[in-house]
Amino acid sequence: MKLRCSFVPALIFCLLSLGGYAPAQQTGNSDVTYQALRTVGFGESVGVTDLTLKRDSATFHLHSGTLCFLAPVQGKVTGAVFTGDGNLVLNPPLPIEMGMLKLLTKSDVFSENFSEMMLRFTDATYDEVKKAASGGGGSCAAGPLEDSRNVTRKKVHYNLEARILQDVLGTEPGGLFVAFIHGKRYNDKMIFAIDPHGAPNFARSVAPEEVELITWDENKFGVWAAHHYSEEYKKGTASSAEQNETIRIEHQQLEASFDKGAHLTGKAATTIVSAVNGQRVIPFALFSTLRVQSVSADGGQSVSFIQEDKKADPDFWVILSKPLAAGEKLTITTTYDGKEAVVNTGGVNYFPVAREDWYPNLASLSFGAYSNYDMTIRVPKGMQVAATGNRVSDTTQGDQNVTVWKSEAPLAVAGFSFGKFKKEETKTPKGDYLVQSYANQEPPDWVKGIQQAVSGELPTQGSHVSEAVLGTMDTTSLNKKALAEGQLAMQIYNDYFGPVPYKTVALTQQTACGFGQAWPGLVYIPICYYFDTTVRHQFGLDLDRGYWRVVTPHEVAHQWWGHAVGFNSYRDQWMSEGFSEASASIYIQAVYQKEPKKYFEFWNDERDLLLERNKEGYRAIDAGPLTLGYRLSNSRSGFDITRRLIYPKGGYILHMIRMMLWNNQQGDANFKALMQDFVRSYANRAATTEDFKAMVEKHMTRDMNLDGNGKMDWFFNEYVYGTALPKYNVQSSFETGPDGDVVMNFTLSQSGVDDKFAMAVPLYLQLADGRTVFLGRMPMRGNKTLSQKVPIRGLKQIPKTALVNYNFDVLAEK
């Protein structure tokens, strides 16, 4: 052995290595037990006759056939292949889930037949089957086993063997059950799964719910059903507030260095607290192209890890040398590097592709979990960085600019933006927020290409763009507009919702054209926002339903909705997007007071999004309840359906509550009290739909108490948990009473709903001088028509007409 030790500390380390004291560097995927699970083959086989396996809401009827078990690993059997005559019946515990199954299957009962099924498990399946087996089995078909491996590794990209290893090496009983079902009626690419740590992210994460049915078929992709354990609903303990991750992250010490090509070199010291007893295998989310170089635990001890090929099932798992007890704390240090997490789009523009997982994060990527962050970010000299947290320092070290950041409060996520920016900044008159706006000084390559085509430097290949006269594509010219909108939004929202802990909010240009995003104190604004209206018109981007008018105030609103107040699960995400949409309407109403038409256009556009049919023939309003969130995007109803639902309908729900709380004397005072109480109560933690409902009930008015029980069940059942959509019609006439006051005769009808539907229907008067004033609310239930004669005291001049729902107070048919 040849050693080279050029100075004393290194010499000491080399001698210690020879003496066997230095730990050996662990390599990825080298754990012996993991490799055994990865390559396990068949062991024994048994015959089964009329065997019933009840797994929560799923009942597997194995009428006749053979079960071939996988060989034991560490003494545990973790799978079996069934061939024969089988049937699956699914009976979810929630009406919402039964409704979703009916929508997808067009049947009242979910019953699927199969002749092949692959099972993977760490629960008591092996013992249960062995006990009920009817004798020896037949030959074992390897096809279902290989198919399941192909599905998890190349289709849904989930490392199932790593998850099984978590239970095999754990000291507590496992509860994992996964069935790969080759169905004959609905789909032959179906997976039913149960996981006490949250159902596996095969199609879309439904954690913290433990039970799911999904299809991974490209033509019928999506979540068919998901829920908590059925027993929890029976006991009344099921809640979207559950946290089923095996760890929580207390602190992140992150270092990230980028070169001009956007190659990332990272180091993360992640302090975790175990949420369960006896776990050795820790799951993390890390962007697939970021490849782990080493992992160590407290004291620098090297530990094993798992990370398969970036195009396969690349989940990052850490294998500890000894199990953690519940509540035990440990710091895991990971070094990693790679490309594609950030993309160099040319012109010193960099686009962060990996927003939540550019560092080892919770595997569920939950926005309901908050951590403290310290970050050091290095970029090439001459570039600027904007990031989450407070800027502690900004220095130049050699050919790099180095910025250090520290979170001022626990954050749901951490992020950054860097490039060659022009920066503008200002403070809000109230709230003491520093608002910054960053625009890139040079255009990205795709913009340069258009500019060159227009100028004749490049052939246009038949494009008509060169014939047009483009407006300015210099994004720095509209930097002050972004700054002004950000400042106004922060000031308006601070007044309505109260303060947030992020005292600096940076708006940064990103090279993506069609979407924005917001992290705590950091907002990504699409580049096309910074183009002038001429450019957007020539690109066909002005038919946008007012998108460019609201994108900045919507994203700024996420400082409150999604960050200051998080959402616990996908069933609560509507509050983040919907509340931000409603906040944008408040911004429009405040800023465009002299142009009230813009406010009405906003809500009309929101309603159109909900009521228009997509190319699959579905209206978003009919696709399913708001609380199903992004699950509603599937191949049957369309993958655009969720965007067209949770943004506008979530916005409408908050707007409806706002209008119910509004009165002529106090205006929005009641609404502000509600929202500020909500922000204070759930600051820096996650809220659920049920939490918000309880808060509304705390602040509800007499007009809102339609059931007389102090509850808002009537409203939430109709609009949040349901798909109701009423239709209204009002007819009116007026006369002068004996005292000279106007008397209104009106007939009001509510239709298109069930008998339980209730609403406090808002009535308005359009006066003779053109003004519209609020008259009051009429409680109505079911499909009903009411006729009344109402004296309007003090009004002497005959109005033009009575109006219903003038301010889009109720989400209803046109």
Side-chain angles (χ1 to χ4, degrees):
M1 179 178 292
K2 184 176 181 180
L3 293 175
R4 298 180 64 183
C5 305
S6 57
F7 55 95
V8 173
L11 176 61
I12 293 174
F13 176 78
C14 293
L15 291 175
L16 289 174
S17 297
L18 286 173
Y21 294 101
Q25 181 66 51
Q26 300 286 339
T27 58
N29 311 321
S30 61
D31 183 85
V32 174
T33 306
Y34 170 70
Q35 284 300 324
L37 290 169
R38 195 82 171 170
T39 59
V40 65
F42 289 113
E44 63 183 309
S45 65
V46 297
V48 293
T49 302
D50 293 329
L51 172 63
T52 298
L53 287 177
K54 185 76 171 78
R55 292 295 179 270
D56 202 86
S57 58
T59 303
F60 294 88
H61 300 284
L62 306 184
H63 301 303
S64 63
T66 298
L67 269 164
C68 295
F69 292 107
L70 299 182
V73 175
Q74 292 279 42
K76 299 179 181 180
V77 175
T78 61
V81 170
F82 171 80
T83 54
D85 178 19
N87 169 263
L88 164 64
V89 175
L90 191 70
N91 186 26
L94 298 175
I96 287 176
E97 298 301 329
M98 290 299 298
M100 189 69 178
L101 284 177
K102 186 174 182 178
L103 172 72
L104 294 171
T105 65
K106 301 190 182 302
S107 175
D108 291 330
V109 178
F110 183 95
S111 178
E112 178 66 282
N113 297 323
F114 56 87
S115 57
E116 288 185 342
M117 177 174 66
M118 178 71 213
L119 300 177
R120 298 305 303 268
F121 48 77
T122 61
D123 62 1
T125 297
Y126 173 72
D127 294 333
E128 186 176 343
V129 172
K130 283 284 289 182
K131 185 177 180 180
S134 58
S139 60
C140 299
L145 173 59
E146 293 306 315
D147 286 348
S148 69
R149 287 171 172 165
N150 181 66
V151 170
T152 55
R153 298 175 191 181
K154 297 182 180 180
K155 301 297 183 181
V156 300
H157 306 289
Y158 178 80
N159 195 325
L160 182 57
E161 288 86 3
R163 171 62 189 91
I164 294 171
L165 180 71
Q166 189 177 36
D167 286 351
V168 169
L169 295 185
T171 62
E172 301 296 309
L176 181 71
F177 179 89
V178 182
F180 299 83
I181 305 152
H182 295 269
K184 296 181 178 181
R185 182 181 181 185
Y186 302 126
N187 199 271
D188 66 345
K189 299 176 175 64
M190 189 169 287
I191 303 175
F192 174 80
I194 300 175
D195 190 339
H197 304 318
N201 187 9
F202 289 137
R204 182 178 294 279
S205 176
V206 297
E209 292 168 355
E210 300 91 349
V211 185
E212 69 177 354
L213 178 73
I214 70 106
T215 49
W216 55 271
D217 187 339
E218 292 180 1
N219 297 317
K220 292 183 179 180
F221 185 88
V223 178
W224 290 47
H227 54 83
H228 288 294
Y229 289 124
S230 296
E231 192 64 25
E232 293 182 3
Y233 296 102
K234 292 180 182 178
K235 295 178 179 178
T237 59
S239 169
S240 60
E242 290 184 23
Q243 293 285 348
N244 286 328
E245 291 98 342
T246 61
I247 63 169
R248 65 178 179 87
I249 297 177
E250 186 176 85
H251 184 262
Q252 294 271 24
Q253 180 79 46
L254 305 177
E255 298 179 29
S257 179
F258 299 91
D259 63 16
K260 291 183 178 180
H263 186 280
L264 188 161
T265 301
K267 181 179 180 181
T270 306
T271 301
I272 66 169
V273 178
S274 181
V276 298
N277 270 319
Q279 68 168 328
R280 283 185 55 199
V281 183
I282 312 296
F284 289 105
L286 184 65
F287 194 69
S288 62
T289 63
L290 297 176
R291 311 311 293 169
V292 175
Q293 305 301 321
S294 67
V295 182
S296 61
D298 286 346
Q301 177 188 8
S302 181
V303 296
S304 185
F305 65 92
I306 297 168
Q307 190 186 40
E308 297 290 345
D309 186 86
K310 64 182 181 180
K311 295 182 180 180
D313 46 350
D315 307 319
F316 173 43
W317 300 71
V318 172
I319 307 173
L320 304 177
S321 57
K322 63 178 183 178
L324 293 175
E328 188 173 352
K329 187 182 298 187
L330 179 71
T331 297
I332 296 172
T333 300
T334 307
T335 62
Y336 57 97
D337 71 340
K339 299 179 179 179
E340 300 175 34
V342 176
V343 176
N344 181 352
T345 58
V348 204
N349 290 264
Y350 293 86
F351 182 75
V353 178
R355 301 292 174 94
E356 305 105 317
D357 55 358
W358 60 274
Y359 56 92
N361 203 346
L362 280 176
S364 64
L365 293 175
S366 170
F367 273 68
Y370 284 70
S371 306
N372 291 298
Y373 287 85
D374 289 276
M375 301 190 300
T376 300
I377 300 175
R378 296 176 173 85
V379 296
K381 187 177 179 180
M383 297 186 194
Q384 290 178 289
V385 177
T388 52
N390 282 328
R391 188 189 301 261
V392 176
S393 64
D394 191 344
T395 60
T396 299
Q397 298 177 9
D399 59 354
Q400 289 184 318
N401 284 351
V402 182
T403 56
V404 177
W405 305 79
K406 185 177 182 64
S407 60
E408 51 213 310
L411 307 179
V413 68
F416 58 84
S417 181
F418 68 89
K420 192 174 182 181
F421 293 127
K422 178 181 179 182
K423 183 178 77 171
E424 306 279 355
E425 66 180 28
T426 188
K427 281 200 168 188
T428 59
K430 295 181 180 179
D432 197 31
Y433 299 106
L434 176 64
V435 182
Q436 301 173 327
S437 183
Y438 294 81
N440 287 86
Q441 297 181 33
E442 298 180 29
D445 286 347
W446 71 268
V447 172
K448 287 181 180 177
I450 293 172
Q451 292 173 327
Q452 290 171 340
V454 170
S455 67
E457 297 176 35
L458 292 176
T460 61
Q461 298 181 339
S463 170
H464 67 279
V465 174
S466 62
E467 301 172 8
V469 179
L470 282 177
T472 179
M473 298 180 78
D474 173 16
T475 58
T476 60
S477 63
L478 287 181
N479 205 14
K480 289 185 178 180
K481 178 177 181 288
L483 181 71
E485 290 188 355
Q487 180 195 35
L488 280 170
M490 289 298 296
Q491 186 172 327
I492 292 168
Y493 301 156
N494 185 79
D495 175 49
Y496 267 81
F497 312 133
V500 287
Y502 325 117
K503 291 305 179 183
T504 299
V505 177
L507 283 64
T508 67
Q509 171 198 319
Q510 67 172 4
T511 51
C513 181
F515 78 98
Q517 196 171 41
W519 271 193
L522 177 66
V523 179
Y524 301 97
I525 302 296
I527 189 173
C528 294
Y529 163 88
Y530 293 87
F531 296 158
D532 68 22
T533 54
T534 301
V535 173
R536 289 207 296 265
H537 174 72
Q538 290 171 348
F539 288 148
L541 297 173
D542 48 358
L543 302 175
D544 54 17
R545 300 185 187 275
Y547 172 77
W548 305 110
R549 192 181 301 133
V550 301
V551 61
T552 297
H554 173 100
E555 298 303 338
V556 170
H558 278 302
Q559 301 305 304
W560 280 262
W561 317 123
H563 296 305
V565 178
F567 55 92
N568 196 69
S569 80
Y570 74 95
R571 292 189 187 263
D572 310 309
Q573 191 170 359
W574 69 271
M575 294 193 297
S576 174
E577 298 299 350
F579 286 15
S580 295
E581 201 78 342
S583 301
S585 80
I586 294 172
Y587 171 92
I588 290 174
Q589 187 179 35
V591 172
Y592 296 97
Q593 292 183 32
K594 296 182 180 180
E595 301 175 80
K597 183 180 178 181
K598 294 186 186 301
Y599 177 72
F600 294 118
E601 286 175 348
F602 175 89
W603 287 114
N604 189 64
D605 287 342
E606 296 289 274
R607 184 172 58 185
D608 284 348
L609 282 171
L610 288 164
L611 301 187
E612 289 175 349
R613 295 190 183 276
N614 62 8
K615 62 183 180 64
E616 288 80 12
Y618 282 92
R619 302 191 310 176
I621 192 72
D622 303 323
L626 193 65
T627 52
L628 292 184
Y630 280 94
R631 273 183 52 194
L632 287 169
S633 290
N634 55 58
S635 54
R636 173 151 303 185
S637 59
F639 288 99
D640 66 335
I641 206 77
T642 307
R643 169 60 184 87
R644 297 169 69 90
L645 178 69
I646 65 174
Y647 284 69
K649 191 176 183 184
Y652 252 109
I653 287 168
L654 189 62
H655 174 66
M656 290 166 69
I657 292 171
R658 178 192 178 195
M659 298 313 296
M660 283 189 274
L661 289 167
W662 190 91
N663 61 55
N664 285 320
Q665 293 73 37
Q666 297 173 298
D668 273 325
N670 290 333
F671 177 70
K672 291 179 180 180
L674 162 67
M675 302 310 289
Q676 291 175 20
D677 193 0
F678 187 52
V679 171
R680 283 193 304 270
S681 299
Y682 293 94
N684 303 323
R685 63 190 184 102
T688 68
T689 300
E690 291 70 33
D691 292 329
F692 180 64
K693 177 175 176 288
M695 189 63 67
V696 175
E697 289 167 349
K698 177 181 175 182
H699 290 267
M700 66 190 292
T701 64
R702 184 174 61 182
D703 286 352
M704 298 164 72
N705 193 17
L706 295 188
D707 288 338
N709 59 2
K711 298 292 184 183
M712 290 293 291
D713 293 352
W714 63 272
F715 177 77
F716 276 73
N717 288 340
E718 292 163 2
Y719 281 95
V720 180
Y721 306 121
T723 58
L725 188 70
K727 185 173 183 178
Y728 294 104
N729 181 265
V730 65
Q731 295 178 344
S732 61
S733 64
F734 303 92
E735 59 189 69
T736 302
D739 57 359
D741 288 342
V742 170
V743 177
M744 179 176 72
N745 301 282
F746 74 93
T747 299
L748 174 66
S749 66
Q750 176 176 271
S751 60
V753 295
D754 61 30
D755 293 339
K756 295 181 179 178
F757 183 91
M759 182 55 62
V761 183
L763 289 173
Y764 293 82
L765 281 180
Q766 188 176 52
L767 302 179
D769 61 7
R771 290 181 299 128
T772 300
V773 296
F774 177 67
L775 185 61
R777 300 179 182 91
M778 178 67 66
M780 299 190 73
R781 193 175 297 272
N783 295 294
K784 192 172 185 179
T785 298
L786 294 174
S787 296
Q788 286 192 12
K789 178 179 285 190
V790 180
I792 306 174
R793 302 200 181 281
L795 183 63
K796 304 297 183 182
Q797 193 172 11
I798 298 294
K800 291 183 177 180
T801 188
L803 301 171
V804 64
N805 209 20
Y806 173 74
N807 275 317
F808 295 84
D809 314 57
V810 179
L811 174 57
E813 290 274 11
K814 293 184 178 181

